[in-house]
Amino acid sequence: MCRWFAYISPEEPCLLSDVLINPANAISKQCSEHYLPGLLPQGQEKELDDSKDNLLKMRNSLLNMDGLGVAWYTNAAEEYAKDVQGRRPALYKSQSPPISDFNFRNLCSNTQTHCLFSHIRATSGSVVTQVNSHPFVFGRHVFMHNGAISDFTKIRRDLTDQMSYDAYENVLGSTDSEHAAAIYISNLTNHGTKDTWQKEYPLNEMLSAMNKTVVQIMELQQKALGNKKTPNSLNFCTTDGKKMVAIRFRNHATQQPPSLYWSEFAGKTLNQKFPGHPDAAEKTNESASKDSGERIGKHTIVASEPTTYDESEWHLIGANCALTVDEKGIETEVKLQYDPSLNAIDPNNP
C-alpha cells in the first residue's frame, strides 16, 4: 500500500530533507522497506515474512514505486496577491520514485515549512501518471489517502453525485482517493463553489466532513452491492495549513486498518538544528547548532510508519479513530461514528 507523512506546527518549521530524505526510515526509503512497531512483535518490527497476519504481509509487500507528491505551505502568494491571506499549498508531483528524483531531492534540501504532506504511491489499479499522485489540493485545503475504496469502479458514478460541481471539475485524475477528496471538500463547504475552498473552517467541521465522507462511501457500497460489499481501508488526512485531521479506518469487525502513527516529540530528533539522530541513540548529529536543553516548538507528525528509531516517540492511532490537531498544536484522538451494519466481510480473510 501507499505511504504518507504529515508535519504541522504553529511554531517550528521543518526542512523537507530532514524529515523526508535523511532518516534511515524516511518516507523516501519506504518504497520497499518498512518499520511497524505495535503491529509486529517487539524486536521484529521489520520482519514481515514471519508475521502470521496475511493481510499485514500483503499490504506491506507491495513496492511503493508508482509516483510521489509533496504539498507544503508557503506565504509567497500572500506576499504578492492582496486577496490572499495566510499560507497556501505549493505542490510537486512526479511519476518517479523518490530515490531517483533529482528535482525532489533538490527541492527538499532548500525548502522549509510549518505544514507538509508527502506521499508515495502504490497504485490500486488506476494508471501511473502525475495527476494520480497524491496529495490533492482544493484551494487552501490538501488531502491524501493510504488504502483503497473497495469496488471503486462499481460506485464511481454514484460517488460523483456526492460532489459539488466545482469539486467534480477539480478531479483531474482517475483515483478513488481523489474522488474521496472531492467529496470531503464538498461536505466541508456545504457544496460551495471554489471560492469557498479558500476559507478556513473550524476543526470540528473538518472532522464532521471527514466522518461524513467515510459514511457516504460505505452507504453507496451497501446500496450497490449489499452483502457482497468488501471492506475499505481509508487512512485519510487533510489540512488547511493550520489544523489537521487524520483517520485510521477499516470497516471490518476485527481486521486492523493500515498502519498509522503520530508523534509530538520526533520532530526534534528529525531537525538537524538539534542534537540527536533519527537512526540510533549512539549516532551524533555533527551539524547541530542548538544545545540539547533547548526547546523545540510544538509540532505534530502523523505518518504511515515511524521515521525515528525511538519507538517511545510514537503512538499507534487506534482502529477506526481520528486524530485531530488544532491551531495551537493540541492533539485529540476520537472514535469515528458509523453504523456497524456498514461493516463488511473480507472473503480472503474472513
Side-chain angles (χ1 to χ4, degrees):
M1 282 195 165
C2 307
R3 289 290 186 273
W4 56 254
F5 176 98
Y7 177 98
I8 191 166
S9 172
E11 303 171 352
E12 190 76 45
C14 68
L15 183 67
L16 269 60
S17 57
D18 278 355
V19 296
L20 302 182
I21 294 177
N22 297 339
N25 200 49
I27 189 172
S28 58
K29 317 284 184 20
Q30 292 170 22
C31 293
S32 58
E33 300 177 8
H34 305 298
Y35 175 53
L36 303 168
L39 294 175
L40 290 173
Q42 190 167 7
Q44 302 176 35
E45 293 86 352
K46 296 187 178 183
E47 303 300 326
L48 273 173
D49 293 341
D50 296 331
S51 174
K52 296 180 181 179
D53 188 332
N54 291 328
L55 182 61
L56 184 69
K57 286 198 289 188
M58 181 276 292
R59 285 174 176 159
N60 296 287
S61 296
L62 299 174
L63 295 177
N64 303 308
M65 304 285 278
D66 298 324
L68 71 93
V70 184
W72 67 99
Y73 281 75
T74 168
N75 289 109
E78 181 183 33
E79 293 182 5
Y80 286 86
K82 65 179 182 180
D83 59 336
V84 175
Q85 295 182 348
R87 301 182 183 110
R88 291 296 187 274
L91 184 65
Y92 175 82
K93 293 187 178 186
S94 172
Q95 291 175 228
S96 303
I99 54 175
S100 59
D101 190 317
F102 170 82
N103 292 323
F104 167 74
R105 301 180 73 86
N106 186 268
L107 182 155
C108 289
S109 297
N110 296 281
T111 304
Q112 68 171 1
T113 186
H114 285 83
C115 185
L116 162 71
F117 273 24
S118 182
H119 188 282
I120 54 174
R121 183 171 178 245
T123 179
S124 56
S126 52
V127 66
V128 176
T129 181
Q130 286 183 354
V131 294
N132 280 341
S133 293
H134 309 216
F136 305 104
V137 173
F138 291 78
R140 74 185 306 146
H141 301 271
V142 179
F143 187 103
M144 60 184 174
H145 173 209
N146 175 26
I149 296 176
S150 61
D151 296 298
F152 169 60
T153 56
K154 292 183 174 64
I155 64 167
R156 181 175 179 177
R157 184 168 182 175
D158 295 327
L159 288 170
T160 62
D161 291 336
Q162 310 300 313
M163 304 173 191
S164 67
Y165 182 81
D166 283 356
Y168 174 79
E169 276 199 330
N170 201 64
V171 176
L172 305 178
S174 56
T175 65
D176 55 343
S177 307
E178 190 172 14
H179 283 67
I183 294 172
Y184 166 77
I185 198 68
S186 300
N187 290 333
L188 181 65
T189 62
N190 195 26
H191 284 244
T193 53
K194 63 177 60 178
D195 60 294
T196 63
W197 304 348
Q198 302 297 339
K199 298 179 181 179
E200 292 183 46
Y201 297 86
L203 184 59
N204 67 306
E205 293 183 17
M206 293 171 64
L207 175 60
S208 178
M210 183 72 84
N211 202 142
K212 183 178 180 180
T213 300
V214 171
V215 171
Q216 285 173 306
I217 290 168
M218 294 188 293
E219 288 178 340
L220 289 176
Q221 292 166 330
Q222 176 67 35
K223 181 179 179 181
L225 302 164
N227 292 333
K228 294 182 180 179
K229 65 183 185 295
T230 55
N232 305 280
S233 290
L234 306 178
N235 281 18
F236 292 152
C237 192
T238 188
T239 186
D240 61 3
K242 293 183 178 179
K243 306 178 294 295
M244 185 163 64
V245 176
I247 70 170
R248 180 174 179 247
F249 184 84
R250 184 168 176 82
N251 59 319
H252 188 281
T254 60
Q255 289 178 350
Q256 285 285 319
S259 58
L260 192 61
Y261 302 83
W262 73 276
S263 176
E264 58 185 333
F265 303 113
K268 187 172 185 178
T269 315
L270 291 166
N271 190 324
Q272 64 178 286
K273 293 180 183 178
F274 292 86
H277 200 283
D279 300 340
E282 62 273 12
K283 291 190 175 183
T284 58
N285 172 17
E286 301 295 341
S287 62
S289 58
K290 296 182 179 290
D291 297 329
S292 58
E294 290 192 62
R295 173 188 171 275
I296 190 171
K298 184 74 178 76
H299 64 277
T300 307
I301 296 172
V302 186
S304 300
E305 298 183 25
T307 52
T308 66
Y309 75 92
D310 188 353
E311 289 183 29
S312 66
E313 292 181 333
W314 297 88
H315 316 278
L316 181 66
I317 295 175
N320 297 348
C321 287
L323 182 80
T324 65
V325 186
D326 69 14
E327 298 95 329
K328 297 180 180 179
I330 305 300
E331 304 95 350
T332 306
E333 186 171 315
V334 297
K335 200 78 174 174
L336 292 167
Q337 303 299 313
Y338 74 103
D339 187 337
S341 68
L342 295 173
N343 280 338
I345 294 174
D346 186 343
N348 298 314
N349 293 279

